[in-house]
């Protein structure tokens, strides 16, 4: 989101699309405009080697179009790696709608957006992201089949967040095993930043296991509610990054590991749901590694949601989706090993494995 993006002045210095900082050989970028509904959207298709580009639609009040464009470029690229590392036959895509989801989202606007998705004939498949709810996906479904995450009553897979939380929990346990020698989280001090759809379920898993959970959120009511429900402690310090905890779980916004915070972090494991946690993977990944902090790559451990919606395309059931999500534990450990053997950060190791899978498939496709 906006906090993850460089300054507008920097963006404007570059060529409008192919020259953007976040442009990474994206296959197609579609600008959608509709005067009647006020729709202004951008669909980013990063890569379709493994399959159709699947990724959610985010509605956000961007300050300007540069921010929206860079967000869709970054997010769609992330989806390519997320699906590739999770073994899904999907490419990477994402869409952004420019506007305030609370005041500007209408069924007409969502239907028009669905028509644009439909015009891509299945090359891009949409889903829910920030600013969207399942009912919006149901509206999109009324004009195109190229949408996932629709209501269970309509044959969809419903809310992906609990499955995402389960995957994050699995990734966290794997990281704990690697760092502390055991995946048992009982007695471990875990700070969960952001107790929304994913964060709350993560807190549930952690407290059940006996972890000592602290929670932080900008929403005071949520803090009281979640604290009461699971017996988690509300973090009241000034600086959560330097909190004396074993594990830090970013489950709010991206880019929380940045120049300001990276040297303050005391936790020895970082494992959370937020997308793009490292403000700059080339800078902050190596610093974490030098500091002996194990970072569980976000796009790997938060893949439960996409594994769940993929069930709608691949026609498997919830049990299979959970089994695949549980496997995030093994994949996380494999990535840590690969990182050590190849002298890479864990983030770069995960990206390399994902890229290998794409390159391999590209070769196979070329032979056909
Ligand atoms: P959500 O909107 O339900 O919850 C986010 C929570 O973070 C809210 O309670 C909000 O008040 C809090 N928050 C916002 N700014 C904060 C700040 N500065 N400090 C502390 N708390 C803050 O979102 P979600 O669906 O739970 O997703 C959480 C993160 O995980 C997002 O970054 C999302 O992109 C990512 N993610 C979610 C899914 C999914 O299935 N929902 C899948 C993959 C990735």
């Amino acid at each position: 989101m906006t906090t993850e993006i460089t300054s507008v002045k920097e963006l404007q210095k570059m060529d409008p699309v192919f020259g953007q900082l976040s442009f990474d050989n994206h296959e197609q970028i579609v600008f959608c405009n509709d005067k009647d509904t006020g729709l202004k959207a951008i669909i980013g298709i990063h890569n379709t080697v493994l399959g159709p580009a699947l990724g959610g639609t985010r509605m956000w009040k961007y300050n300007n179009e540069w921010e929206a464009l860079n967000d869709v470029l970054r997010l769609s690229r992330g989806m390519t790696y997320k699906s590739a590392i999770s073994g899904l036959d999907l490419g990477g895509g994402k869409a952004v709608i420019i506007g305030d989801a609370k005041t500007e989202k209408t069924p007409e606007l969502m239907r028009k957006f669905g028509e644009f998705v439909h015009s891509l004939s299945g090359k891009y498949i949409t889903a829910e992201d920030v600013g969207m709810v399942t009912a919006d996906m149901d509206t999109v479904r009324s004009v195109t089949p190229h949408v996932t995450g629709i209501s269970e009553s309509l044959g969809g897979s419903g809310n992906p967040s609990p499955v995402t939380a389960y995957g994050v929990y699995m990734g966290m346990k794997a990281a704990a095993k690697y760092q502390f020698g055991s995946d048992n989280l009982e007695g471990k001090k875990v700070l969960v930043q952001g107790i929304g759809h994913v964060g709350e379920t993560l807190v549930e898993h952690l407290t059940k296991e006996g972890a000592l959970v602290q929670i932080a959120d900008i929403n005071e009511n949520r803090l009281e509610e979640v604290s009461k429900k699971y017996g988690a402690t509300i973090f009241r310090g000034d600086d959560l990054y330097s909190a004396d905890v074993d594990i830090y779980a970013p489950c709010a916004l991206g880019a929380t590991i940045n120049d300001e915070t990276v040297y303050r972090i005391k936790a020895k494991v970082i494992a959370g749901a937020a997308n793009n946690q490292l403000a700059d993977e080339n800078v902050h990944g190596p610093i974490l590694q030098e500091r002996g902090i194990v970072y569980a790559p976000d796009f790997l451990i938060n893949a439960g949601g996409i594994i769940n919606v993929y069930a709608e395309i691949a026609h498997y059931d919830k049990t299979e989706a959970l089994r695949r999500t549980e496997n995030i534990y093994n994949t996380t450990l494999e990535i840590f090993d690969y990182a050590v053997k190849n002298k890479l950060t864990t983030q770069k190791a995960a990206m390399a494995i994902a890229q290998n899978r794409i390159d391999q498939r590209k070769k196979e496709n070329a032979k056909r």
Side-chain angles (χ1 to χ4, degrees), residues 58 82 129-130 160-161 164 193-199 216-219 251-253 273-275 302 305:
R58 177 172 288 189
K82 187 182 296 207
D129 195 66
V130 177
S161 303
T164 302
Q193 177 188 34
I195 40 158
H197 292 103
V198 180
D217 202 292
I218 48 172
N219 184 333
C251 297
L253 304 174
N275 285 313
N302 72 14

Side-chain angles (χ1 to χ4, degrees), residues 86-128:
S86 308
L88 308 178
D89 284 332
L90 290 174
K94 202 92 180 180
V96 296
I97 298 178
I98 302 170
D100 188 335
K102 287 201 183 86
T103 56
E104 294 173 75
K105 190 171 64 180
T106 59
E108 294 75 24
L109 180 136
M110 288 312 300
R111 267 195 293 277
K112 187 48 82 177
F113 173 70
E115 286 173 19
F116 279 105
V117 171
H118 194 65
S119 74
L120 293 166
S121 308
K123 191 171 181 185
Y124 168 66
I125 301 171
T126 198
E128 198 179 318

